[in-house]
Amino acid sequence: MSWRPLQVVNVKNCENNYAVILLNFSLDFIEPSDENHFYHIWDNASIRIAVDGGANYLKQTFTSCKFPDIISGDFDSIKPPVLEFFKQKNVKIIETPDQNETDFTKAVKVLINEIEQSSITIDRVLVLWSSCGRIDHIMSIVNTLYQMLDYTSIPLYLYNLNASLSWILKPGVEHRIEANEKSSWCSLVPVGDACIVTTSGLRWNLNKKKLSFGSLISTSNEFDFINHKEVKVLTDKPILWSMDIPKK
């Protein structure tokens, strides 16, 4: 399975066959030079979902971007005037009060249902977020990625704008990830279970190595640009791949 990370986030010259989910994280981390990139990603998506308080930042910060198609969540974070504003703009409001799932998990299910009902072709989902937040929220986001492996075949990418990209690699297939010479780090972190992992194209490769919490996890690894143009990964269990996406 081939992965081209820069193509995933480069939406300027591609068909808009992707969806965007904006999580409830502050967008204050976005520098002015990154705002146009946000607008390109958000405005060109086929489906746009704001999760709960994520709509606050659309209303307050990105006033010239397109409205979301859907706002979903248990609505404990969205400000009442913001919710009312988008209602008046005929944005679809879907309340998901179930506290046994996170708003992100429920938003993915809302998205998949919307795709199935509209017959829109979507080949990837970009999940916009900020890593500046609570560690339990970050862990729950990764847990949703893991859970959704059995729910949809559409890849979900966590994208911290012009900072990093993360997604789950499925087991039992060789993954070939295009290297980027400007990337300074990458990582392989097990999720769910311990993994037996073999790689090539990294500075510190793994040869049928067990990765698990309590033993080894492969963080702060690097690409071997001198000898390889891609990284190959084979794992027997799902694993989280992350890499930095350098400034353009």
Side-chain angles (χ1 to χ4, degrees), residues 43-229:
D43 287 350
N44 288 310
S46 293
I47 303 177
R48 295 173 293 275
I49 296 182
V51 178
D52 208 334
N56 295 332
Y57 297 99
L58 287 178
K59 176 66 170 61
Q60 297 167 7
T61 306
F62 297 97
T63 55
S64 61
C65 69
K66 291 183 179 180
F67 294 144
D69 298 296
I70 299 170
I71 297 175
S72 70
D74 58 12
F75 299 152
D76 63 344
S77 301
I78 190 171
K79 297 177 180 179
V82 173
L83 183 59
E84 184 59 29
F85 171 82
F86 283 116
K87 283 182 179 179
Q88 295 298 320
K89 298 299 182 180
N90 295 318
V91 172
K92 185 183 294 187
I93 307 297
I94 301 178
E95 186 172 5
T96 54
D98 185 0
Q99 295 300 302
N100 291 318
E101 294 181 321
T102 67
D103 281 344
F104 177 27
T105 299
K106 292 178 285 187
V108 175
K109 293 182 176 181
V110 166
L111 171 62
I112 299 305
N113 183 64
E114 186 74 10
I115 293 171
E116 292 173 348
Q117 290 187 355
S118 61
S119 299
I120 296 175
T121 299
I122 297 294
D123 63 17
R124 66 194 187 281
V125 179
L126 291 177
V127 182
L128 304 183
W129 75 305
S130 166
S131 58
C132 302
R134 287 167 41 181
I135 186 66
D136 59 329
H137 284 173
I138 295 171
M139 296 295 287
S140 74
I141 290 171
V142 174
N143 185 54
T144 294
L145 291 185
Y146 179 68
Q147 290 178 309
M148 292 300 101
L149 284 177
D150 294 327
Y151 193 82
T152 178
S153 61
I154 302 174
L156 275 68
Y157 298 90
L158 287 179
Y159 185 33
N160 193 339
L161 286 178
N162 283 333
S164 65
L165 189 70
S166 305
W167 69 96
I168 300 284
L169 303 181
K170 294 182 178 181
V173 59
E174 183 182 70
H175 298 274
R176 299 183 303 278
I177 304 166
E178 187 176 63
N180 177 7
E181 293 185 0
K182 295 182 180 180
S183 294
S184 59
W185 64 267
C186 57
S187 67
L188 287 160
V189 177
V191 289
D193 296 290
C195 306
I196 304 299
V197 181
T198 298
T199 69
S200 64
L202 296 176
R203 182 176 180 183
W204 295 284
N205 280 306
L206 305 165
N207 183 15
K208 296 182 180 179
K209 192 72 174 180
K210 178 182 177 181
L211 299 184
S212 68
F213 283 95
S215 59
L216 175 69
I217 61 174
S218 181
T219 59
S220 298
N221 212 323
E222 299 174 9
F223 294 94
D224 179 7
F225 299 117
I226 297 176
N227 300 304
H228 299 273
K229 293 184 178 180

Side-chain angles (χ1 to χ4, degrees), residues 32-48:
S33 59
D34 297 333
E35 289 185 5
N36 286 338
H37 187 44
F38 173 86
Y39 284 126
H40 276 296
I41 290 176
W42 180 262
D43 287 350
N44 288 310
S46 293
I47 303 177
R48 295 173 293 275

